[in-house]
Amino acid sequence: MTVSSNGKSPETLPVLIVGAGIGGLAVALALARHGYRSLVLEKAPQLSEVGAGIQLGPNAFTVFDYLGIGSEARGVSVFIDSLKLCDAISGEAVVEIPLQERFRRRFGNPYAVLHRGQLHGVLLNAARGNDLIEIRPNAGVRDYEQGSASVVALLENGRERVKGAALVGCDGLWSNIRQRIVGDGAPRVSGHSTYRAVIPREDMPAELQTNAATLWAGPKCHIVHYPLSDWKLFNLVVTYHNEAPEPVAGVPVEAGEVRRGFQAVTPEIRRLIDRSEDWKLWVLCDREPVANWSQGCVTLVGDAAHAMLQYFAQGACMALEDAVCLADAVALSEGDFDLAFESYQEARILRTARVQIQSRAIGDYIYHPSGIAADLRNAEMRSRTVGDWYRSLDWLYGHNPSLFSSAARERSPKNHELNSARMPDIPVR
Ligand SMILES: Cc1cc2nc3c(=O)[nH]c(=O)nc-3n(C[C@H](O)[C@H](O)[C@H](O)COP(=O)(O)OP(=O)(O)OC[C@H]3O[C@@H](n4cnc5c(N)ncnc54)[C@H](O)[C@@H]3O)c2cc1C
């Protein structure tokens, strides 16, 4: 049985969405826009996000507008003036990419930094206020059974079976749904450790209270800081490439551990680490790109489909784009989910694989080099004009994932990303 545009009717089966993170809620909202009912099954007892910041490119705002939450998302955003890269050894500014009027005109939308909890809250409020969306916390999905025209989610409590017209796995890096479809085991541990903290504005050194996302790049380490929540807070993210062997997510650690990897950098940056005692650790993981994340009326979205390192600040943006593309594919196929999920996957694979692959390269060749390789990075970056930077970002920030957009009509699904741009240069190899 398929759900057609009369999805409001209570007797039609809902689309089952596994996971109420950014990706899952965006899928529910995007499907509702086309009249499809969904039931979001979330493992956690409470619906929330980690208390840290997130950067969003203009491509995320294209999605917010599509979902009808553009003004709410803009209302919790800080619109920074630039992305800045500094050398963490010399303390010099290497490059500053402006994000004001010229940037917004080129990409049609702003670049922003937000508190994750506030962003999740915007999506959650919109979902809760939508009659076509039901959200069930405490409903972890262990597995599913696929029939000829329906699917049954098997809950982790071992007792319940929930039937739907289709199933979308938005269950993140450790996705159970991915294991059934792709079966590629645990994610790849990158060996990079990231420590996050959020501090009140008054604890941020005055000279670092700038309206920018600033990244200090050092040998096998970098630190990022930017303002949040109407400038009441600052987000700090410290990363070391320290060959950490095991995956870790959100575990509290002593500040001493955070300081240890930052001995070689400028005193200004070392002092910044001292500003918080409340650090949490993630050992970063990603996955190899794959080309088979859909099977019949079951598919994947976001980290479940294409987990990536955070170095392009695009994981959540890709999950949001996926949601729009998936919902449009369902609408275009008039509820034939097998067909819809195949064309959704085809439209998304090259783009998301490119971000996965380039995110790794950015870590190695831009954020973490030392010695001559770092000097070469600095020289190459300084030689670029603002126009050069914008051109190299057109493919990423200028994208509209809607299959109803004029750009989508022009591009063939197979090569649309390769048509639009060559791979941008990675300055230091
Ligand atoms: C340090 C760091 C910094 C980052 N910075 C940025 C950034 O600046 N910009 C950006 O765009 N991206 C960033 N990202 C990436 C971004 O956080 C992720 O790509 C994004 O959160 C993925 O969303 P998702 O909904 O796919 O998965 P998740 O956010 O992981 O959500 C998955 C949801 O599924 C639930 N779930 C899990 N298992 C089950 C189950 N069995 N049954 C039911 N529910 C289940 C979980 O509880 C969760 O609610 C960063 C990531 C990290 C680690």
Side-chain angles (χ1 to χ4, degrees):
M1 180 185 193
T2 55
V3 179
S4 66
S5 53
N6 67 349
K8 282 187 177 126
S9 153
E11 65 272 13
T12 56
L13 289 174
V15 176
L16 304 178
I17 296 173
V18 183
I22 292 167
L25 294 175
V27 171
L29 290 169
L31 285 170
R33 195 176 168 275
H34 292 296
Y36 288 85
R37 220 155 56 82
S38 61
L39 170 58
V40 186
L41 300 166
E42 166 58 50
K43 180 189 182 105
Q46 258 138 21
L47 303 171
S48 61
E49 254 285 349
V50 287
I54 189 163
Q55 304 186 43
L56 295 178
N59 50 328
F61 287 87
T62 305
V63 175
F64 296 141
D65 289 335
Y66 172 107
L67 298 178
I69 52 170
S71 60
E72 290 82 355
R74 284 175 178 81
V76 293
S77 297
V78 174
F79 299 110
I80 47 174
D81 292 334
S82 62
L83 296 172
K84 202 169 164 186
L85 187 134
C86 303
D87 188 311
I89 301 294
S90 67
E92 291 170 299
V94 176
V95 71
E96 188 158 7
I97 304 174
L99 302 174
Q100 297 119 319
E101 203 38 45
R102 184 176 162 194
F103 178 93
R104 291 181 196 182
R105 248 185 294 118
R106 183 170 187 123
F107 298 113
N109 266 312
Y111 193 104
V113 290
L114 293 83
H115 194 285
R116 277 172 178 266
Q118 288 178 311
L119 169 63
H120 192 257
V122 165
L123 289 158
L124 193 55
N125 282 343
R128 282 180 169 150
N130 193 311
D131 290 347
L132 295 176
I133 302 171
E134 187 188 340
I135 307 176
R136 260 189 73 183
N138 253 327
V141 176
R142 174 175 55 82
D143 204 347
Y144 63 85
E145 286 167 3
Q146 199 172 167
S148 59
S150 64
V151 60
V152 174
L154 309 177
L155 299 204
E156 284 176 351
N157 63 22
R159 297 185 304 275
E160 274 181 273
R161 299 162 59 85
V162 182
K163 193 169 180 185
L167 185 145
V168 186
C170 308
D171 47 345
L173 181 68
W174 294 89
S175 166
N176 284 346
I177 310 304
R178 183 186 178 99
Q179 285 324 306
R180 271 295 300 283
I181 300 179
V182 185
D184 56 352
R188 183 191 76 109
V189 181
S190 68
H192 298 205
S193 297
T194 284
Y195 303 88
R196 287 155 140 180
V198 173
I199 59 172
R201 177 182 184 172
E202 52 274 21
D203 289 349
M204 188 72 178
E207 67 279 14
L208 297 179
Q209 290 189 23
T210 53
N211 194 28
T214 305
L215 186 145
W216 299 80
K220 288 195 164 189
C221 65
H222 71 275
I223 179 163
V224 180
H225 54 81
Y226 51 80
L228 284 180
S229 304
D230 217 8
W231 276 72
K232 292 187 184 74
L233 304 170
F234 266 79
N235 192 51
L236 306 180
V237 187
V238 171
T239 301
Y240 302 136
H241 185 170
N242 59 356
E243 313 295 348
E246 300 288 340
V248 175
V251 172
V253 291
E254 301 281 324
E257 178 179 333
V258 189
R259 276 181 220 117
R260 212 169 299 135
F262 251 76
Q263 302 302 328
V265 304
T266 66
E268 190 183 18
I269 295 306
R270 279 195 311 238
R271 280 198 295 274
L272 187 52
I273 294 169
D274 293 338
R275 296 301 171 112
S276 178
E277 290 298 323
D278 189 15
W279 291 96
K280 290 202 175 74
L281 164 68
W282 279 256
V283 173
L284 303 176
C285 296
D286 66 0
R287 288 192 182 269
E288 297 300 332
V290 294
N292 61 324
W293 72 54
S294 297
Q295 201 171 70
C297 64
V298 181
T299 193
L300 305 174
V301 154
D303 280 4
H306 40 64
M308 56 189 66
L309 300 182
Q310 85 254 25
Y311 299 148
F312 236 140
Q314 278 287 322
C317 299
M318 289 297 126
L320 290 164
E321 285 189 4
D322 286 348
V324 169
C325 181
L326 179 147
D328 280 2
V330 170
L332 280 168
S333 70
E334 297 178 338
D336 179 339
F337 289 103
D338 294 29
L339 184 67
F341 290 171
E342 216 169 278
S343 50
Y344 149 70
Q345 171 179 289
E346 200 165 322
R348 297 295 298 158
I349 275 177
L350 290 184
R351 178 170 175 79
T352 53
R354 181 172 179 174
V355 184
Q356 282 176 289
I357 291 165
Q358 289 197 323
S359 295
R360 283 187 193 170
I362 287 173
D364 290 341
Y365 301 117
I366 298 182
Y367 295 171
H368 293 163
S370 54
I372 189 90
D375 294 344
L376 191 53
R377 171 202 61 207
N378 294 353
E380 200 281 338
M381 286 193 145
R382 284 187 175 122
S383 75
R384 292 191 186 199
T385 64
V386 171
D388 291 338
W389 282 108
Y390 288 179
R391 261 188 302 283
S392 73
L393 291 166
D394 273 339
W395 71 276
L396 186 61
Y397 293 158
H399 183 78
N400 185 339
S402 171
L403 297 178
F404 292 102
S405 69
S406 50
R409 284 196 291 272
E410 279 163 25
R411 65 194 176 219
S412 77
K414 267 214 155 69
N415 63 4
H416 70 281
E417 279 318 315
L418 296 182
N419 282 344
S420 63
R422 63 189 173 85
M423 298 281 276
D425 300 327
I426 299 297
V428 184
R429 290 221 170 256

